[in-house]
Amino acid sequence: TPPDKVPILYARYNQAVTQTHRLSSSGAEYKLQFHNFNRMFKCLFCARTEAWLVGEGDGAQLEFRVAVHLGRDEVGGRDIRDPKFDAHYQTAEILTKKRREDVSKSERQDAKPFTFKPLYGGQSGTKAQRAYYKFFQNKYRGIYATQTGWTHRVASSPDKCLVTETGLRFYWPDTKVQPDGYVTNKTSIFNYPVQSLATADIIPIGLVYCYYRMLSLGLQSFLTNTIHDSIIGEIHPDEEETFRRVVECALTRDTFVYLWRCYSIKFTVPLGCESKVGTHWGTGKEKKFDLDPVDFGELFEVPIV
């Protein structure tokens, strides 16, 4: 990069491209997709202004929480509300056949890719992985029964359509029931309603609220990126705590209110935010925040207009 040019990567966000309606991105100058950016490169990104920081707010275990809500899964709801519960340690326990206290941090990390694979109809893998998928389906029966019901609804409906809680319609016109009872398109039927509400609705809702709250407060900090379940910005060093509080509110309380006002959805489980602010993207001390809609019933007393 020439010394007089700030090294910035630019990308264009695309709507109405992905099947689930979540955003996708295309590099403006280089062929890259911010939504498929390898995590190992995050530490290379810093703010363009000296002494400024990079802030990030993530929707905590968002797709799992959405699935628990859609399935009205009581066990999942208890796990989300249990501060000692760790879904990835649970996965590692099943995969390694070890007790929680004997599972190492590296084994927990290795288990992460499999933790929520059953949400999307995952069935294949090693014997241990298949055993975990079966465990997940048995434990979170509300989720599995709801998703199985979706497949039957699509397979039996004349137009092969599924209407989601927000009113969005998904179509799988080539869906068939095979002789062994397997419903084709099962993976996407399991996936789309969950991923759509989580990252095509909730994250953009939080993103817009975050933008306007920062604007109304007159902050110097500004947003630069969004990836799947994340909101990223360049943060003035005096505004770190304000950014954290804004992104926490946007991804929880503001989202609850919007879902109720626009879709008449009373969200049934806590939403959470994990925020980091550091010298580079993904660095800094992580702060966790959860808000349980059960404790804030007045949110749903706002008239729907």
Side-chain angles (χ1 to χ4, degrees):
T1 304
D4 59 336
K5 183 180 179 182
V6 178
I8 300 176
L9 280 178
Y10 291 97
R12 177 180 62 253
Y13 281 97
N14 310 308
Q15 290 183 303
V17 172
T18 66
Q19 293 292 324
T20 59
H21 288 224
R22 69 197 295 179
L23 291 173
S24 64
S25 63
S26 307
E29 186 174 358
Y30 303 101
K31 290 186 177 180
L32 54 87
Q33 291 182 326
F34 279 12
H35 279 63
N36 293 321
F37 218 67
N38 194 305
R39 290 178 178 271
M40 66 182 292
F41 295 115
K42 290 174 68 173
C43 62
L44 300 177
F45 289 82
C46 62
R48 69 196 74 189
T49 305
E50 188 176 356
W52 278 46
L53 305 166
V54 178
E56 179 176 17
D58 291 341
Q61 295 182 339
L62 183 57
E63 293 187 1
F64 176 61
R65 297 186 186 212
V66 165
V68 170
H69 163 74
L70 293 175
R72 302 303 192 268
D73 194 292
E74 294 183 3
V75 175
R78 288 198 295 270
D79 282 348
I80 291 169
R81 291 179 171 92
D82 180 359
K84 296 181 180 179
F85 176 75
D86 187 300
H88 302 308
Y89 269 117
Q90 175 178 264
T91 310
E93 287 178 54
I94 304 300
L95 293 178
T96 64
K97 297 182 179 179
K98 293 181 180 180
R99 297 178 301 174
R100 164 70 180 268
E101 55 268 28
D102 296 326
V103 175
S104 67
K105 288 184 178 181
S106 62
E107 287 172 326
R108 177 188 180 276
Q109 183 67 28
D110 292 342
K112 277 188 174 184
F114 307 103
T115 297
F116 300 123
K117 191 174 179 180
L119 283 181
Y120 311 119
Q123 298 182 36
S124 61
T126 66
K127 184 177 180 180
Q129 290 166 0
R130 293 196 303 273
Y132 168 71
Y133 302 153
K134 191 67 177 178
F135 162 84
F136 188 97
Q137 292 169 356
N138 287 334
K139 181 176 183 180
Y140 303 116
R141 295 184 180 184
I143 296 175
Y144 186 63
T146 297
Q147 291 179 308
T148 301
W150 293 340
T151 64
H152 293 162
R153 202 172 310 156
V154 171
S156 62
S157 67
D159 54 1
K160 309 301 182 194
C161 173
L162 179 69
V163 182
T164 69
E165 197 171 38
T166 62
L168 186 65
R169 293 174 179 267
F170 286 110
Y171 294 89
W172 291 271
D174 60 341
T175 300
K176 297 178 181 178
V177 181
Q178 296 179 343
D180 61 359
Y182 180 80
V183 178
T184 60
N185 296 313
K186 175 183 175 180
T187 301
S188 59
I189 296 171
F190 268 44
N191 176 11
Y192 286 9
V194 175
Q195 191 181 101
S196 177
L197 180 55
T199 55
D201 283 300
I202 289 177
I203 291 302
I205 290 168
L207 178 69
V208 172
Y209 268 107
C210 187
Y211 171 80
Y212 280 108
R213 283 192 177 276
M214 292 172 70
L215 195 66
S216 67
L217 290 169
L219 300 188
Q220 298 178 68
S221 305
F222 55 93
L223 300 181
T224 57
N225 198 4
T226 177
I227 294 183
H228 294 324
D229 58 357
S230 300
I231 298 171
I232 303 106
E234 296 185 26
I235 312 303
H236 188 280
D238 295 335
E239 298 173 351
E240 174 181 344
E241 277 308 307
T242 304
F243 169 77
R244 288 186 189 268
R245 292 176 64 184
V246 166
V247 77
E248 287 169 357
C249 185
L251 287 173
T252 57
R253 188 188 186 282
D254 290 337
T255 298
F256 287 141
V257 172
Y258 187 94
L259 291 173
W260 170 239
R261 286 179 174 176
C262 295
Y263 299 121
S264 302
I265 295 175
K266 288 187 176 181
F267 213 75
T268 55
V269 298
L271 285 175
C273 173
E274 297 171 347
S275 63
K276 286 184 178 181
V277 180
T279 58
H280 291 73
W281 184 12
T283 65
K285 184 178 180 180
E286 183 177 76
K287 181 181 178 182
K288 296 184 178 181
F289 175 83
D290 269 30
L291 187 66
D292 195 331
V294 172
D295 298 330
F296 290 84
E298 74 274 8
L299 296 179
F300 305 121
E301 295 173 5
V302 179
I304 302 175
V305 294

